Amino acid sequence: MSETGREPLRIGVLGAARITERSLIDPARATGHRLVAVAARDRARAEAFAAGHGVERVASSYAELIADPGIDVVYNPLANGLHGPWNLAALAAGKHVLSEKPSASNATEAREVRQAAGTAGTVFMEAFHYLFHPVTRRLHELLASGELGELRHVEAMVAIAAPPDTDPRWSLPLAGGALMDLGCYSLHALRMLAPWAGGAPRLTAARAAERAGGPGVDEWLDADLEYPGGATGSARCHMAYDGLDMSIRIVGSRGEATAPNFVLPQLDDRVVIRTAQGERTEHLGTRSSYTYQLEAFAARVRDGAPLPLDADDAVATMELIDACYREAGFEPRPRTRI
């Protein structure tokens, strides 16, 4: 039984991605959900993955896994360009889908995923796990309580050291690029501040640089945004950075708050608050944001509990991503055919 004493979710995993141990395997163990099957392009890799992580069986293909009646939920951590096609396939098979971000290669494909989710009547969620952690919830509370005053400015940066040149995150046919892999977090975090800013932000400017040897693929991108209430925002990302930066800073009329690592708060759970009364640091806990996410997803699947993320939200994020690319002189990512 799962953590609530109820039947566990029966989860199938597409691919044997490295992120899956952190994003799903450990949370499923912590919450008692079943890892029923895994499929990968290389069966030997899938078998090794299953043996190493306690997955019950190996499917011979993604299609076989999706068709398996013993699976309730399909988790999709494949390369970006494979999110849309396999999300569509899983929804068509009547599965609930937890998809790594972004949900699709571009806004047109994201709208198709939204339509498929509506037709299926199942739960679809894009895995912006940071949103479920107490660090992000606390940032929102500080705005809602009025302690920071009216929102004036927000800046988010998500940057990592460069992956190898062969990494699919640098592949245009697989919908790669810094904005797709990292900047989506910055943009999403800014979008989630709409309740305290008079509405959703609009893009005012974007700048980017192309990866050397990767035509059409952005190495970094900076986006400037403005909210209806007059606040401004900066959403930045860099996929060949000197170090790691996953910070967000929220500035209000009465003070400001910073989370040094809002994307992976289990690595740094601080929120630093500065007001006229002084500076203080709150620690919000190092329990994994992915575990909070799986709990929320399971509650939605079982009980219809509300979720802050759905297919509409995924479309809105992709529309903003596409707009950033166009404003910066790039094309939105092409869809991948399977």
Side-chain angles (χ1 to χ4, degrees), residues 70-85:
I71 290 172
D72 308 310
V73 174
V74 171
Y75 173 62
N76 184 353
L78 300 171
N80 290 339
L82 300 178
H83 291 171

Side-chain angles (χ1 to χ4, degrees), residues 199-224:
R202 67 177 184 88
L203 181 68
T204 59
R207 303 159 297 282
E210 192 172 73
R211 174 70 171 172
V217 177
D218 49 308
E219 182 172 283
W220 61 264
L221 188 144
D222 294 347
D224 301 329

Side-chain angles (χ1 to χ4, degrees), residues 102-268:
S103 66
S105 295
N106 53 56
T108 298
E109 191 174 45
R111 294 184 198 105
E112 294 175 15
V113 172
R114 177 175 64 186
Q115 182 175 351
T119 300
T122 54
V123 177
F124 174 84
M125 192 178 89
E126 195 173 22
F128 279 114
H129 54 95
Y130 81 94
L131 192 62
F132 299 93
H133 196 276
V135 162
T136 294
R137 296 209 309 269
R138 182 61 178 139
L139 292 173
H140 293 176
E141 287 170 0
L142 289 166
L143 286 169
S145 70
E147 182 173 359
L148 300 183
E150 294 182 0
L151 181 64
R152 296 286 174 82
H153 181 70
V154 56
E155 50 196 42
M157 173 69 155
V158 183
I160 63 172
D165 290 340
T166 55
D167 194 288
R169 286 173 286 182
W170 293 124
S171 168
L172 183 61
L174 288 175
L179 182 60
M180 293 289 281
D181 194 63
L182 305 173
C184 58
Y185 282 110
S186 301
L187 291 176
H188 194 268
L190 266 63
R191 285 190 54 248
M192 291 299 99
L193 300 183
W196 304 282
R202 67 177 184 88
L203 181 68
T204 59
R207 303 159 297 282
E210 192 172 73
R211 174 70 171 172
V217 177
D218 49 308
E219 182 172 283
W220 61 264
L221 188 144
D222 294 347
D224 301 329
L225 300 102
E226 185 175 353
Y227 295 91
T232 58
S234 168
R236 302 175 59 204
C237 59
H238 202 308
M239 206 156 66
Y241 197 63
D242 183 19
L244 179 77
D245 188 345
M246 296 185 171
S247 61
I248 188 168
R249 175 173 172 254
I250 296 173
V251 180
S253 57
R254 296 177 183 167
E256 65 177 68
T258 300
N261 192 337
F262 78 98
V263 176
L264 295 173
Q266 49 268 35
L267 302 181
D268 188 338

Side-chain angles (χ1 to χ4, degrees), residues 300-314:
R300 175 64 172 177
V301 169
R302 290 169 169 154
D303 305 319
L307 273 178
L309 301 171
D310 57 16
D312 286 334
D313 183 78

